[in-house]
Amino acid sequence: MDEQKLRILLAGAGGVGVYFSSILAKNGAEVKVIARHDHETVSRDGYFIDDRGEAKHFTPAGVLRSAAEYDGVADFIVIAPKALPEIDLPRLVRDAVRDRRTALVLIQNGIDIEKGLAAAFPDNPLLSCVANIAVSRPAPGRLLNQGMIKLVVGGPAEPTARLVDYFKAGGIDCRGVDKIEPVRWHKLVWNIAFNPVSVLAGGVTTGELCDRGETENLCRSLMRETAAIAARRGVSIPDDEQAAAIESARNIPQFRTSMVQDFLAGRPLEVEAILGNTVRIARAAGVAVPVMECCYALLKSIDAQQRRRAEKK
Amino acid sequence: MDEQKLRILLAGAGGVGVYFSSILAKNGAEVKVIARHDHETVSRDGYFIDDRGEAKHFTPAGVLRSAAEYDGVADFIVIAPKALPEIDLPRLVRDAVRDRRTALVLIQNGIDIEKGLAAAFPDNPLLSCVANIAVSRPAPGRLLNQGMIKLVVGGPAEPTARLVDYFKAGGIDCRGVDKIEPVRWHKLVWNIAFNPVSVLAGGVTTGELCDRGETENLCRSLMRETAAIAARRGVSIPDDEQAAAIESARNIPQFRTSMVQDFLAGRPLEVEAILGNTVRIARAAGVAVPVMECCYALLKSIDAQQRRRAEKK
């Protein structure tokens, strides 16, 4: 669709980043990926993707070990690692940001997660994206997508429209917005309830969570508190939207949230991006969020335990 | 100290019950115990007790399999199993309650735990006790006591005084009170914070809990909410008592609460006696306890997961 081939670099090549990059590649973009953990496998075989039962294959145009190995100027650098405090996003991409035309495309969960990149690269367009996707990596070089996919891209008009067109042409339900923050709050209502509580309740499914009992009420409390904070930022999340989120979770009873999957696998949890940042926004705004504070304290401790155990191995 | 030998039956022979019964036996009482899990070991060898480094031995006057096997009339039936909904206290002792002179001595954690026994045996004196004791059972027939011991006995004057004298003569820091409820609230402030949070935070020590950070604040919130409920019942728990509880927990940094020990061993948790009953009292009194409700929902779910895993084994 472009006269010139779109040049993409993917940094933080987890399931989400690889899936979206594969769509761009399929649509004619030249996609190179920085892959460290599974560098060998991916260099040799590319990625095998089970996309809702359909077998797909994605061979990147290059498999790099770091941003420094990238040659030339990228149109877009897709940045999609897990949202963890120890992952320094500017450092991850710095060596490949060589021109102010290069747009940074951040695809991560959470709220208030753009600051680091915005401060490090003030002259580059920053496209902050909210993805609805349930993709996992069952093995190195392998992806499993089991659900519907939606992507909202927020950023300056020109690069946003260009990226959205590419995704749409690749069959993705994608739209562009001026400001991503409201979209993040709406997504956060889901994330903040089901992700932490599914872990704190002992690693349960969404069905066990939304059992019309105590844990479901707890999810509702977290949603109400989140909506109260969002309201202070001018974003309205009506009660029926919260109720619909509970319904939707109930309707996929066997679903394990990404945070439960990380918890059960002993991996670090996205505590700060989802809960910590939200609690800090609430504190700064003077909104009382006792339930959220409680879940934050517990999840932070669980994560610390988890990391300690992982170190011992 | 009595002309006639005091006759004691112990039902729910966990560490706490066996320890206190051994004190009565040492002091001349005839103590029989209902022991099911470790019946054989205890029948053969009695109990070996490591009491703060001092080796003691306790041979019960009889080791029974049920209350029905008890002969005659007991002066006191000590009832000290873990406080779990599936343990029916009246059923546990019914066959041995043959006379209204037999006093029932309940030694358990929690609040509002006397109702079942009071309703089942309205004519028998009920002595409800709050114990400060850190005793564990490292193996069948073996007890380990590592801390200071205190016992408060609440009930009608005569049998209470008699039992208190026996414990005092056995060297126990023991006192009698008319009404145990205030004592239970003061104890609950400690229990409700450190027991559930130490589990929910991932199975941590009191030192990790009282780290002057998020989990310590969470413990303080739970204490404040508990004090607010207690206030409605006419029991005042001042702020400095709450602060002292935090200090005392910080001063035994390696301590694992009884609930964490149960959690790490995969045993059922005393959720209802400690948290559930308190939440229900708060709801009935119209006291808002968002943090307690949150912890209750989570702990109930953790306990359910724990029980499910135990069944699978």
Side-chain angles (χ1 to χ4, degrees):
Chain A
M1 62 196 297
D2 255 38
E3 321 78 82
Q4 237 191 315
K5 221 173 191 183
L6 202 67
R7 298 196 82 221
I8 307 281
L9 172 63
L10 168 63
V16 172
V18 172
Y19 186 88
F20 283 116
S21 301
S22 76
I23 300 292
L24 299 173
K26 192 183 132 204
N27 210 31
E30 179 211 83
V31 178
K32 297 187 177 177
V33 307
I34 302 171
R36 274 177 291 198
H37 299 304
D38 50 4
H39 186 271
E40 228 176 295
T41 314
V42 175
S43 301
R44 195 182 55 226
D45 305 325
Y47 293 99
F48 293 93
I49 306 175
D50 175 342
D51 197 356
R52 283 160 287 189
E54 191 186 340
K56 295 180 175 175
H57 190 257
F58 163 42
T59 307
V63 182
L64 320 178
R65 288 190 188 275
S66 72
E69 292 182 10
Y70 191 72
D71 58 328
V73 171
D75 294 293
F76 295 96
I77 301 182
V78 176
I79 306 165
K82 269 183 70 179
L84 299 175
E86 66 268 33
I87 300 180
D88 181 336
L89 300 182
R91 206 175 133 195
L92 201 63
V93 298
R94 179 163 288 124
D95 291 339
V97 184
R98 296 174 185 135
D99 191 295
R100 58 172 57 190
R101 282 169 305 172
T102 297
L104 307 174
V105 183
L106 179 63
I107 314 182
Q108 278 189 326
N109 275 327
I111 195 85
D112 227 4
I113 55 171
E114 297 88 357
K115 283 185 296 193
L117 285 172
F121 310 107
D123 300 328
N124 290 74
L126 177 56
L127 280 53
S128 179
C129 306
V130 171
N132 282 64
I133 181 168
V135 70
S136 55
R137 280 203 301 180
R142 297 196 169 264
L143 260 67
L144 174 63
N145 170 45
Q146 297 184 284
M148 295 301 294
I149 291 181
K150 256 174 85 172
L151 185 70
V152 184
V153 182
E158 193 281 314
T160 297
R162 194 173 175 210
L163 191 67
V164 167
D165 282 349
Y166 249 84
F167 277 124
K168 276 179 159 172
I172 298 288
D173 177 354
C174 182
R175 67 188 170 96
V177 294
D178 276 1
K179 298 208 172 303
I180 199 70
E181 203 197 320
V183 183
R184 289 209 171 272
W185 283 107
H186 286 275
K187 174 85 188 289
L188 193 62
V189 161
W190 204 100
N191 267 333
I192 212 167
F194 301 129
N195 272 302
V197 180
S198 60
V199 172
L200 294 173
V204 302
T205 62
T206 45
E208 291 167 313
L209 216 53
C210 297
D211 61 349
R212 299 177 202 273
E214 311 277 351
T215 50
E216 180 175 320
N217 283 339
L218 173 52
C219 291
R220 288 178 193 274
S221 297
L222 278 171
M223 288 179 175
R224 266 195 307 272
E225 289 184 354
T226 307
I229 311 168
R232 290 288 183 92
R233 306 268 277 227
V235 179
S236 162
I237 303 169
D239 289 352
D240 58 355
E241 190 176 322
Q242 301 170 40
I246 297 277
E247 274 309 312
S248 78
R250 214 203 309 280
N251 289 336
I252 41 168
Q254 298 307 316
F255 182 68
R256 293 198 186 274
T257 63
S258 60
M259 202 180 269
V260 154
Q261 292 181 42
D262 287 336
F263 172 63
L264 296 174
R267 292 187 294 252
L269 310 176
E270 291 184 322
V271 181
E272 297 305 330
I274 292 178
L275 263 179
N277 289 353
T278 314
V279 162
R280 282 181 284 273
I281 293 170
R283 286 177 190 165
V287 181
V289 289
V291 178
M292 200 181 291
E293 292 268 9
C294 175
C295 291
Y296 176 48
L298 295 175
L299 201 66
K300 204 172 154 180
S301 176
I302 295 267
D303 185 48
Q305 301 294 312
Q306 186 118 322
R307 285 163 183 266
R308 216 169 297 166
R309 271 194 294 272
E311 270 170 29
K312 276 190 194 151
K313 272 180 193 160
Chain B
M1 61 195 296
D2 257 39
E3 321 79 81
Q4 236 190 316
K5 219 171 192 184
L6 201 68
R7 300 196 81 220
I8 307 282
L9 172 63
L10 169 64
V16 173
V18 171
Y19 186 88
F20 283 116
S21 302
S22 76
I23 300 292
L24 299 174
K26 191 182 133 205
N27 209 31
E30 179 211 82
V31 178
K32 297 187 177 177
V33 307
I34 302 171
R36 274 178 290 198
H37 299 304
D38 49 5
H39 187 271
E40 228 177 295
T41 315
V42 175
S43 302
R44 196 183 54 227
D45 305 325
Y47 292 99
F48 293 94
I49 305 175
D50 176 342
D51 196 357
R52 284 160 285 188
E54 190 185 340
K56 295 180 176 176
H57 190 256
F58 163 41
T59 308
V63 183
L64 320 177
R65 287 190 188 275
S66 72
E69 291 183 10
Y70 191 72
D71 58 329
V73 172
D75 294 294
F76 296 96
I77 301 182
V78 177
I79 306 164
K82 270 182 69 178
L84 299 174
E86 66 268 34
I87 300 180
D88 181 336
L89 299 181
R91 207 175 132 194
L92 201 63
V93 299
R94 180 164 286 126
D95 292 339
V97 184
R98 295 174 185 134
D99 191 295
R100 59 172 57 191
R101 282 168 305 172
T102 297
L104 306 175
V105 183
L106 179 63
I107 313 181
Q108 278 189 325
N109 275 326
I111 195 86
D112 228 4
I113 55 170
E114 298 87 358
K115 282 185 297 194
L117 285 172
F121 310 108
D123 300 328
N124 289 76
L126 177 55
L127 280 54
S128 179
C129 306
V130 172
N132 283 64
I133 181 168
V135 69
S136 56
R137 281 203 300 179
R142 298 198 168 262
L143 260 68
L144 174 63
N145 170 45
Q146 298 185 283
M148 296 302 293
I149 290 181
K150 256 175 85 171
L151 185 69
V152 184
V153 182
E158 194 280 314
T160 297
R162 197 175 173 206
L163 190 66
V164 167
D165 282 349
Y166 249 84
F167 277 123
K168 277 180 158 172
I172 298 288
D173 177 354
C174 183
R175 67 187 170 98
V177 293
D178 277 1
K179 298 208 173 303
I180 198 71
E181 203 198 318
V183 183
R184 288 207 172 274
W185 283 107
H186 286 275
K187 175 86 188 288
L188 193 63
V189 161
W190 204 99
N191 267 332
I192 212 166
F194 301 129
N195 271 302
V197 180
S198 60
V199 172
L200 294 173
V204 301
T205 62
T206 45
E208 290 167 314
L209 216 53
C210 296
D211 61 348
R212 300 176 201 272
E214 311 276 351
T215 52
E216 180 175 321
N217 283 339
L218 173 51
C219 291
R220 288 178 194 274
S221 297
L222 278 171
M223 288 179 175
R224 265 195 307 273
E225 289 184 354
T226 307
I229 311 168
R232 290 286 184 94
R233 305 269 278 227
V235 179
S236 162
I237 303 169
D239 289 352
D240 57 356
E241 190 176 322
Q242 301 169 40
I246 298 277
E247 273 310 311
S248 79
R250 214 201 311 277
N251 288 337
I252 40 168
Q254 298 307 315
F255 183 69
R256 293 198 185 274
T257 64
S258 60
M259 202 180 267
V260 154
Q261 291 181 42
D262 287 335
F263 172 64
L264 296 175
R267 293 187 294 252
L269 309 177
E270 291 184 322
V271 181
E272 297 304 331
I274 291 177
L275 263 178
N277 289 353
T278 314
V279 162
R280 281 180 284 273
I281 293 170
R283 286 176 190 165
V287 181
V289 289
V291 179
M292 201 181 292
E293 292 268 9
C294 174
C295 291
Y296 176 48
L298 295 175
L299 201 66
K300 204 172 154 180
S301 176
I302 295 266
D303 185 48
Q305 302 294 313
Q306 185 119 321
R307 286 162 183 267
R308 216 169 297 166
R309 271 193 294 271
E311 269 169 29
K312 276 190 195 152
K313 274 182 192 157

